[in-house]
Amino acid sequence: MKEPTAHMAPVVHRFFLVDVVVLFAAAAAAAIPASAEAAASSSQTDALLAWKASLDDAASLSDWTRAAPVCTWRGVACDAAGSVASLRLRSLRLRGGIHALDFAALPALTELDLNDNYLVGAIPARISRLRSLASLDLGSNWFDGSIPPQFGDLSGLVDLRLYNNNLVGAIPHQLSRLPKIAHVDLGANYLTGLDFRKFSPMPTMTFLSLFLNSLNGSFPEFVIRSGNLTFLDLSHNNFSGSIPDMLPEKLPNLMYLNLSFNAFSGQIPASIGRLTKLLDLRIDSNNLTGGVPVFLGSMSQLKVLDLGFNPLGGTIPPVLGQLQMLQQLSIMNAELVSTLPPELGNLKNLTVMELSMNQLSGGLPPEFAGMQAMRVFSISTNNLTGEIPPALFTSWPELISFQVQNNLFTGKIPPELGKAGKLIVLFMFGNRLSGSIPAALGSLTSLEDLDLSDNDLTGGPIPGNMGNNFKMQGVDHSSGNSSNSRSGSDFCQLLSLKILYLSNNKLTGKLPDCWWNLQNLQFIDLSNNAFSGEIPTVQTNYNCSLESVHLADNGFTGVFPSSLEMCKALITLDIGNNRFFGGIPPWIGKGLLSLKFLSLKSNNFTGEIPSELSNLSQLQLLDISNNGLTGLIPKSFGNLTSMKNPNTLSAQETLEWSSYINWLLYSDGIDTIWKGQEQFFEKTIELLTGINLSGNSLSQCIPDELTTLQGLLFLNLSRNHLSCGIPKNIGNTKNLEFLDLSLN
């Protein structure tokens, strides 16, 4: 065979060339998606890791590393193609912002849930690039700025939750054009200035909450035209005008309607009775008038009805007793002038009844025992009379709160009260109850807050349950004799007790030795009774939680209660007007460093004023008047830090005390001599700063150091043996309103 020469044309096997091209093309076609998928995965990984790196705290995302596929990371879910479809990062304590997140790298993302973290900054408009997004939840963070109007471009969005942030400005009307939106929650922000005229109807929306913003104007027109709504919350805004009469025709599917805390006026429209699917109606705290409508009695499906804090007037319609499904009924502070209809006893599913702060009269119907599901019962601050029906406590096994304070109830506290074994709050103060405190109270081992003050109760201090096996026994506590020791010991079974107020009664006897077993007790007021004897000593392992102790105006004796040395959290201590004697212990100034109010007045304390009291840097009121104290006024009193400047409550203290007082319904206070008269001051509203050392036998000079206490409002050093001159710098105490140096 001859070798081909240079001039000879090459022989080409075309069939072979075609096969090679086909095979190469097929391989290339297979390789392109694989490389694209890898690139997409790499892009997603880079974007998420870059965002993680930008966070101030991402400890909960420790598995977000290149060592593991992105689809296996915490909170990440992918679709079948390996694209990130869901980020569920709720409640992971993430801190930082979301501006560093490259949303364009997540084109397949359908769900973004960052709820309940610590994310800050403005919400980036770039989120609108997530064209596949169906659910966006940024609720319960610290986002600020406005809501991006570009959110209106998220055409697939079904669920939008931005509640509980710091968002401001107007709600963008572009949101009303979202074609698939069903759930919108913008509550608990600072949104304002809404012009509803630019909004379109939202026919796909079933849930809308604009709760707790600063929105105003009349009832929004676009809401009325969003006919598939089942849940509507416009509460805690500034909406005004009348409640629309057309709600049943326009929003026939409503199941939840909350218009409370606005400025709606006029009568409750009768058309509401035609909302046949409505389960929950809350229109409290408006300016509604015209009485409680009778038509409400025909809304048999209702479970919650709240009409309180409106000037409704009128009576409670007996037809409300027909609402067999009703679980919560509140008509508090509604200017009702009525008796309590016995028909309400038919509400067998009722768990909460709140009728306080009206002008209700007559008795408490025994038929109310039919409310067998009752848990929270409050009819306080009315004019109700008669005795409290014992059957209530044997018929309400789920009762946790019973509040009948500030009425005109008479008779004895029913011993059957001991059957309410789940009771946590018991307020009966401010009535005309008499007799002894029943031993059965000792059975209430879940009780945390007990207030029986301002009644005519007599007998021993605090009774109990006669052991673990509850039996009604005829225990007489009226004599204040030795029987109190046993019953008082049983009372010490109330280990959950946090608040105990028994002031302004006629209670007698000694405190039981086991008193300090109540280690959860925070507030105690036994003042203005006839208690006697020494304060029991404490066990070595005592863990004191007391913050406020009022034992004033009794007959307690003995030296200063050593048990209080363990109470490091004590803020208020008032043991004035008793018969305590001996010296004032220096350990007060060493261990009770949280004290703000200390009253030891009108006892028999002797000796010198311990200079250690000067260590009480938070002390604002010191009253040790009318004792037998001798020696000098300590110069170190000039170091009382809280008296150096005018005192006001800090923002945090105001919040803490106000929330407690609002809940308790009255404030903790203290008596002292002010401008020649004994006055009661509510320390939680306005802090009174002063020193009262009058009525002792203090001698020598008034220390110049007292003139440095610029925050003093009063200074009473009268009726002592002070000499020398009046300090020349006394005029520097410019806030001083009352100064008494007489009878020295």
Side-chain angles (χ1 to χ4, degrees):
M1 183 173 182
K2 294 182 178 179
E3 296 290 333
T5 61
H7 65 275
M8 294 177 62
V11 178
V12 178
H13 299 281
R14 297 186 62 87
F15 69 92
F16 175 76
L17 190 61
V18 171
D19 287 346
V20 171
V21 171
V22 170
L23 290 172
F24 179 79
I32 289 174
S35 61
E37 182 178 326
S41 178
S42 176
S43 175
Q44 294 176 144
T45 301
D46 292 342
L48 293 176
L49 287 179
W51 176 57
K52 174 190 173 183
S54 74
L55 295 174
D56 299 324
D57 186 349
S60 58
L61 303 181
S62 59
D63 67 338
W64 283 29
T65 67
R66 297 188 185 277
V70 65
C71 297
T72 66
W73 293 355
R74 181 177 188 179
V76 178
C78 297
D79 59 19
S83 299
V84 174
S86 173
L87 287 177
R88 297 177 181 174
L89 306 176
R90 174 183 293 252
S91 305
L92 296 185
R93 306 184 68 83
L94 302 176
R95 295 177 184 271
I98 58 175
H99 271 92
L101 182 56
D102 183 5
F103 299 104
L106 305 169
L109 196 67
T110 61
E111 179 184 11
L112 177 58
D113 184 353
L114 301 176
N115 191 289
D116 190 26
N117 283 288
Y118 300 93
L119 300 173
V120 298
I123 299 174
R126 291 180 292 107
I127 292 182
S128 62
R129 297 179 183 177
L130 298 171
R131 298 301 175 146
S132 300
L133 198 63
S135 177
L136 175 61
D137 190 347
L138 304 180
S140 294
N141 280 286
W142 296 88
F143 290 115
D144 53 28
S146 58
I147 300 173
Q150 292 86 345
F151 277 12
D153 297 332
L154 294 168
S155 58
L157 198 63
V158 176
D159 196 319
L160 175 62
R161 306 179 191 226
L162 305 178
Y163 63 87
N164 199 21
N165 280 286
N166 296 317
L167 301 175
V168 297
I171 301 173
H173 63 86
Q174 288 86 348
L175 297 184
S176 66
R177 299 172 187 170
L178 293 169
K180 297 181 180 180
I181 195 70
H183 188 114
V184 177
D185 193 342
L186 309 179
N189 282 289
Y190 299 95
L191 301 171
T192 57
L194 188 60
D195 186 358
F196 291 118
R197 292 174 298 180
K198 296 181 180 180
F199 276 68
S200 304
M202 302 174 72
T204 59
M205 185 169 59
T206 60
F207 182 108
L208 175 62
S209 175
L210 304 179
F211 147 81
L212 195 56
N213 281 285
S214 298
L215 306 173
N216 52 32
S218 58
F219 198 99
E221 178 68 22
F222 88 95
V223 173
I224 299 176
R225 296 167 61 191
S226 300
N228 281 311
L229 276 174
T230 61
F231 183 104
L232 176 60
D233 189 348
L234 303 180
S235 65
H236 292 267
N237 281 287
N238 299 311
F239 292 116
S240 58
S242 59
I243 297 174
D245 198 46
M246 62 185 74
L247 290 182
E249 288 72 35
K250 298 294 185 178
L251 304 176
N253 297 316
L254 268 184
M255 300 175 67
Y256 178 96
L257 176 62
N258 192 344
L259 307 179
S260 62
F261 289 92
N262 279 287
F264 290 114
S265 57
Q267 297 187 5
I268 301 172
S271 60
I272 285 183
R274 300 199 302 273
L275 289 169
T276 57
K277 297 181 180 180
L278 194 64
L279 304 177
D280 196 317
L281 175 60
R282 304 174 193 234
I283 50 177
D284 59 289
S285 304
N286 282 283
N287 298 315
L288 301 172
T289 57
V292 179
V294 174
F295 71 78
L296 292 173
S298 63
M299 301 182 70
S300 58
Q301 76 283 0
L302 272 182
K303 292 185 177 181
V304 176
L305 177 60
D306 192 346
L307 310 177
F309 291 92
N310 283 292
L312 292 170
T315 62
I316 301 174
V319 293
L320 295 185
Q322 300 175 10
L323 302 177
Q324 293 295 306
M325 301 292 291
L326 200 63
Q327 297 174 4
Q328 298 182 32
L329 173 63
S330 177
I331 321 178
M332 180 182 184
N333 192 21
E335 300 183 11
L336 301 178
V337 182
S338 178
T339 57
L340 292 171
E343 290 83 354
L344 297 184
N346 296 326
L347 302 176
K348 295 182 179 180
N349 290 303
L350 198 66
T351 60
V352 177
M353 174 179 277
E354 175 57 87
L355 301 176
S356 300
M357 300 173 65
N358 284 291
Q359 300 176 46
L360 304 180
S361 59
L364 182 52
E367 289 86 352
F368 278 18
M371 304 173 181
Q372 298 174 1
M374 184 59 63
R375 289 175 53 82
V376 178
F377 183 77
S378 181
I379 52 172
S380 62
T381 316
N382 281 289
N383 300 312
L384 296 168
T385 57
E387 298 188 0
I388 298 173
L392 300 183
F393 306 109
T394 57
S395 303
W396 295 352
E398 301 301 318
L399 187 66
I400 61 172
S401 178
F402 186 76
Q403 301 191 35
V404 296
Q405 67 269 23
N406 294 324
N407 277 286
L408 302 172
F409 288 117
T410 55
K412 296 183 178 182
I413 298 175
E416 289 81 358
L417 187 57
K419 291 290 189 180
K422 297 183 180 180
L423 201 61
I424 297 175
V425 177
L426 176 59
F427 287 168
M428 293 182 165
F429 63 86
N431 281 285
R432 299 175 180 176
L433 300 172
S434 58
S436 60
I437 301 174
L441 256 64
S443 298
L444 304 177
T445 55
S446 297
L447 197 63
E448 295 183 7
D449 308 321
L450 173 62
D451 193 338
L452 307 178
S453 61
D454 294 288
N455 279 288
D456 295 317
L457 299 173
T458 58
I462 311 138
N465 66 347
M466 294 315 191
N468 295 325
N469 296 320
F470 174 74
K471 295 181 180 180
M472 301 303 300
Q473 300 185 19
V475 181
D476 183 10
H477 304 290
S478 61
S479 62
N481 58 23
S482 61
S483 67
N484 296 325
S485 176
R486 180 185 177 190
S487 61
S489 299
D490 293 322
F491 180 83
C492 296
Q493 300 294 321
L494 303 183
L495 300 180
S496 300
L497 205 61
K498 295 180 180 179
I499 297 174
L500 175 61
Y501 286 151
L502 300 176
S503 61
N504 300 307
N505 281 289
K506 301 173 183 177
L507 300 172
T508 60
K510 301 179 180 180
L511 297 183
D513 292 339
C514 64
W515 180 257
W516 301 109
N517 289 354
L518 305 178
Q519 297 190 26
N520 288 314
L521 203 60
Q522 298 174 5
F523 300 86
I524 180 171
D525 189 349
L526 306 180
S527 60
N528 197 19
N529 279 286
F531 291 124
S532 59
E534 297 185 9
I535 305 298
T537 55
V538 70
Q539 301 173 359
T540 55
N541 61 347
Y542 176 56
N543 181 24
C544 181
S545 301
L546 283 169
E547 299 178 19
S548 178
V549 174
H550 292 263
L551 305 179
D553 299 292
N554 280 286
F556 290 117
T557 60
V559 297
F560 192 97
S562 61
S563 304
L564 296 174
E565 186 174 4
M566 311 294 290
C567 301
K568 307 299 184 182
L570 204 58
I571 296 172
T572 302
L573 175 59
D574 184 1
I575 61 172
N577 292 301
N578 281 286
R579 299 173 186 172
F580 293 111
F581 56 81
I584 299 174
W587 54 255
I588 295 177
K590 296 178 180 179
L592 306 185
L593 298 179
S594 296
L595 270 180
K596 293 185 177 182
F597 304 89
L598 176 61
S599 176
L600 312 180
K601 68 175 185 177
S602 302
N603 279 285
N604 298 313
F605 290 116
T606 56
E608 297 186 354
I609 301 173
S611 60
E612 287 83 355
L613 295 184
S614 307
N615 297 329
L616 300 175
S617 60
Q618 300 188 50
L619 195 66
Q620 308 212 180
L621 188 147
L622 174 63
D623 190 344
I624 49 178
S625 61
N626 299 317
N627 281 284
L629 301 172
T630 56
L632 311 180
I633 299 174
K635 292 183 179 181
S636 58
F637 273 11
N639 298 325
L640 289 167
T641 307
S642 283
M643 297 187 182
K644 284 182 173 292
N645 298 297
N647 287 292
T648 56
L649 283 173
S650 68
Q652 181 63 28
E653 287 176 316
T654 301
L655 177 63
E656 291 174 355
W657 280 104
S658 296
S659 61
Y660 165 72
I661 294 307
N662 288 338
W663 170 71
L664 195 57
L665 300 181
Y666 62 93
S667 55
D668 194 14
I670 198 166
D671 290 306
T672 192
I673 300 296
W674 171 258
K675 299 184 179 180
Q677 295 183 348
E678 188 172 31
Q679 301 286 345
F680 178 79
F681 290 94
E682 296 179 346
K683 69 176 186 297
T684 60
I685 298 175
E686 181 179 7
L687 289 182
L688 180 70
T689 303
I691 296 176
N692 189 351
L693 308 181
S694 64
N696 284 287
S697 298
L698 303 173
S699 58
Q700 298 192 31
C701 301
I702 300 173
D704 289 337
E705 287 79 0
L706 291 184
T707 64
T708 66
L709 302 179
Q710 297 293 313
L712 285 180
L713 295 181
F714 76 90
L715 177 62
N716 191 345
L717 306 179
S718 65
R719 294 180 290 118
N720 279 287
H721 301 305
L722 300 171
S723 55
C724 306
I726 297 175
K728 61 181 180 180
N729 293 325
I730 194 72
N732 293 339
T733 53
K734 297 181 179 180
N735 290 293
L736 200 64
E737 296 184 15
F738 177 76
L739 174 64
D740 191 347
L741 307 178
S742 63
L743 299 175
N744 279 287

